[in-house]
Amino acid sequence: MGKKVIQISDVHFGDTTFSLALKSNFLAQLEDENPDLLIFAGDLTASGYAHEYEQALEFVDELKSITKTHIVPGNHDARNVGLVHFENMISKRKFVHTDKNSNFTIIGLDSSEADVSHGQIGRDQMDWLKSELAKIPEDRAKVVTFHHHIIPIPQTGRERNILLDSGDLMHILTENGVDFVLNGHKHVPNVWMLNNMVVLNSGTATTGKLRGNGYASYNQIEIKDGEVFVNLVRTENGSKREIAHYSVGLMDESMVIHSYIHKSIHSV
């Protein structure tokens, strides 16, 4: 049975470039797509203030009325003691979601740090992550999501906001056979393959905080019959462009990516 997962991040309620039109477009597109799951990879707000969270909560309620939704915080959400509002109004800061029908488990982590742009996972969360990964059967796909990126992204300028403990986290992810990592943060969509692990970034879905010729967007992940397709969706008009295609299956009783095709996102 096929599954459709939406990956979104960086909507930034309260930002001067936030667009109500893009928000409305996204919600309409989500209703049309009728996905099975939505993963929000951080930055609901611009500055972590209560009034921004109140607007974000209305949006989150709309998302949850359409599909099952999981959310982790981003660096903007942690500003001005904003994680207090996140936990009181939105959700817990980490989660585990298992979809037995489509044979995958998603683990969400909080990579935010108060009042700074960079982030880290921290030793306690890494220990928890290792414990949760160890519980996942080898024949199930493993997906981990958090806000910050773990490797640089093209066309994002000077690299200064990568996770402070990205090396330790990368070791845990690769040693435990994680198949997909879903991030946000830089407002630039991107996909890498590293040690047979896909690292997929989403752009900003509802703001004008764009770099170069970028546009507001989010990712659509379709899982069907051992194939995974990733589409980049333009929030302005709902147009889609396939950016990645994976063939997945069992090898020695472990879930692995057998082959992949990545299509160009960035002009050189």
Side-chain angles (χ1 to χ4, degrees):
M1 183 171 64
K3 288 283 182 178
K4 190 180 294 182
V5 179
I6 298 296
Q7 177 194 3
I8 184 176
S9 65
D10 299 276
V11 297
H12 291 294
F13 280 92
D15 188 85
T16 56
T17 69
F18 177 84
S19 169
L20 286 173
L22 290 175
K23 172 198 165 187
S24 297
N25 288 353
F26 173 74
L27 289 172
Q29 291 158 20
L30 194 66
E31 287 186 330
D32 288 342
E33 291 292 343
N34 191 29
D36 301 281
L37 181 67
L38 184 143
I39 300 298
F40 197 116
D43 276 1
L44 278 163
T45 68
S47 299
Y49 291 122
H51 69 275
E52 295 173 348
Y53 271 108
E54 288 169 359
Q55 298 171 45
L57 177 59
E58 181 180 337
F59 178 66
V60 169
D61 286 342
E62 290 176 293
L63 297 179
K64 290 182 177 180
S65 71
I66 299 171
T67 188
K68 188 172 186 62
T69 300
H70 287 293
I71 305 169
V72 293
N75 58 294
H76 284 263
D77 300 322
R79 292 180 176 177
N80 302 300
V81 201
L83 292 182
V84 170
H85 305 308
F86 186 93
E87 292 182 320
N88 288 340
M89 301 169 66
I90 306 299
S91 72
K92 295 181 180 179
R93 288 153 57 186
K94 59 186 180 183
F95 69 85
V96 178
H97 170 86
T98 296
D99 190 305
K100 294 181 180 179
N101 291 330
S102 290
N103 212 27
F104 66 83
T105 294
I106 302 177
I107 299 175
L109 302 170
D110 175 15
S111 64
S112 66
E113 291 278 285
D115 298 316
V116 294
S117 294
H118 62 252
Q120 64 177 327
I121 299 300
R123 179 49 55 193
D124 288 346
Q125 271 198 115
M126 287 195 193
D127 290 342
W128 179 80
L129 173 62
K130 286 190 289 186
S131 175
E132 293 301 319
L133 288 171
K135 299 175 185 177
I136 303 173
E138 288 301 315
D139 63 350
R140 182 170 296 152
K142 302 174 183 178
V143 183
V144 177
T145 184
F146 46 91
H147 181 63
H148 293 77
H149 54 286
I150 50 175
I151 50 179
I153 300 171
Q155 296 190 4
T156 60
R158 181 182 176 187
E159 185 51 65
R160 60 188 182 277
N161 291 336
I162 203 166
L163 280 178
L164 296 180
D165 48 5
S166 59
D168 291 330
L169 179 60
M170 184 73 76
H171 178 72
I172 291 172
L173 297 174
T174 55
E175 285 294 303
N176 288 275
V178 171
D179 301 287
F180 289 85
V181 175
L182 309 181
N183 306 122
H185 189 49
K186 276 301 190 77
H187 300 190
V188 176
N190 191 65
V191 59
W192 291 123
M193 173 70 84
L194 184 66
N195 288 349
N196 213 42
M197 180 176 71
V198 177
V199 181
L200 180 62
N201 285 79
S202 51
T204 175
T206 58
T207 81
K209 296 180 71 174
L210 302 164
R211 291 176 167 84
N213 295 320
Y215 50 81
S217 68
Y218 57 96
N219 297 332
Q220 178 195 71
I221 305 167
E222 293 187 90
I223 307 165
K224 183 171 63 176
D225 299 328
E227 305 290 319
V228 179
F229 302 89
V230 181
N231 294 316
L232 180 65
V233 186
R234 188 166 188 157
T235 318
E236 181 182 5
N237 54 25
S239 63
K240 301 177 185 177
R241 181 161 64 93
E242 185 179 296
I243 59 174
H245 173 204
Y246 306 93
S247 175
V248 299
L250 292 177
M251 180 178 292
D252 298 328
E253 299 184 349
S254 296
M255 183 67 69
V256 296
I257 297 173
H258 292 301
S259 63
Y260 70 95
I261 297 172
H262 286 175
K263 299 182 179 180
S264 177
I265 302 177
H266 310 284
S267 59
V268 179

PDB file of all heavy atoms in Angstrom, residues 13 39 163 225:
ATOM      1  N   PHE A  13       5.717  32.281  11.196  1.00  0.00           N
ATOM      2  CA  PHE A  13       4.663  33.219  11.569  1.00  0.00           C
ATOM      3  C   PHE A  13       5.268  34.399  12.327  1.00  0.00           C
ATOM      4  O   PHE A  13       6.056  34.223  13.250  1.00  0.00           O
ATOM      5  CB  PHE A  13       3.626  32.517  12.447  1.00  0.00           C
ATOM      6  CG  PHE A  13       2.646  31.695  11.672  1.00  0.00           C
ATOM      7  CD1 PHE A  13       2.883  30.344  11.442  1.00  0.00           C
ATOM      8  CD2 PHE A  13       1.495  32.268  11.150  1.00  0.00           C
ATOM      9  CE1 PHE A  13       1.989  29.579  10.722  1.00  0.00           C
ATOM     10  CE2 PHE A  13       0.593  31.515  10.424  1.00  0.00           C
ATOM     11  CZ  PHE A  13       0.841  30.161  10.198  1.00  0.00           C
ATOM     12  N   ILE A  39       5.392  15.948   8.171  1.00  0.00           N
ATOM     13  CA  ILE A  39       6.520  16.167   9.073  1.00  0.00           C
ATOM     14  C   ILE A  39       6.947  17.621   8.952  1.00  0.00           C
ATOM     15  O   ILE A  39       7.301  18.094   7.864  1.00  0.00           O
ATOM     16  CB  ILE A  39       7.709  15.252   8.728  1.00  0.00           C
ATOM     17  CG1 ILE A  39       7.292  13.777   8.851  1.00  0.00           C
ATOM     18  CG2 ILE A  39       8.899  15.542   9.631  1.00  0.00           C
ATOM     19  CD1 ILE A  39       6.860  13.369  10.234  1.00  0.00           C
ATOM     20  N   LEU A 163      25.060  21.964  12.583  1.00  0.00           N
ATOM     21  CA  LEU A 163      25.019  21.461  13.955  1.00  0.00           C
ATOM     22  C   LEU A 163      26.411  21.435  14.579  1.00  0.00           C
ATOM     23  O   LEU A 163      27.365  20.969  13.968  1.00  0.00           O
ATOM     24  CB  LEU A 163      24.445  20.045  13.984  1.00  0.00           C
ATOM     25  CG  LEU A 163      22.939  19.875  13.911  1.00  0.00           C
ATOM     26  CD1 LEU A 163      22.609  18.392  13.901  1.00  0.00           C
ATOM     27  CD2 LEU A 163      22.247  20.554  15.074  1.00  0.00           C
ATOM     28  N   ASP A 225       5.423   0.433  -3.534  1.00  0.00           N
ATOM     29  CA  ASP A 225       5.963  -0.780  -4.148  1.00  0.00           C
ATOM     30  C   ASP A 225       7.491  -0.774  -4.235  1.00  0.00           C
ATOM     31  O   ASP A 225       8.074  -1.034  -5.293  1.00  0.00           O
ATOM     32  CB  ASP A 225       5.374  -0.967  -5.558  1.00  0.00           C
ATOM     33  CG  ASP A 225       3.866  -1.126  -5.533  1.00  0.00           C
ATOM     34  OD1 ASP A 225       3.354  -1.688  -4.547  1.00  0.00           O
ATOM     35  OD2 ASP A 225       3.208  -0.678  -6.498  1.00  0.00           O
TER      36      ASP A 225
END
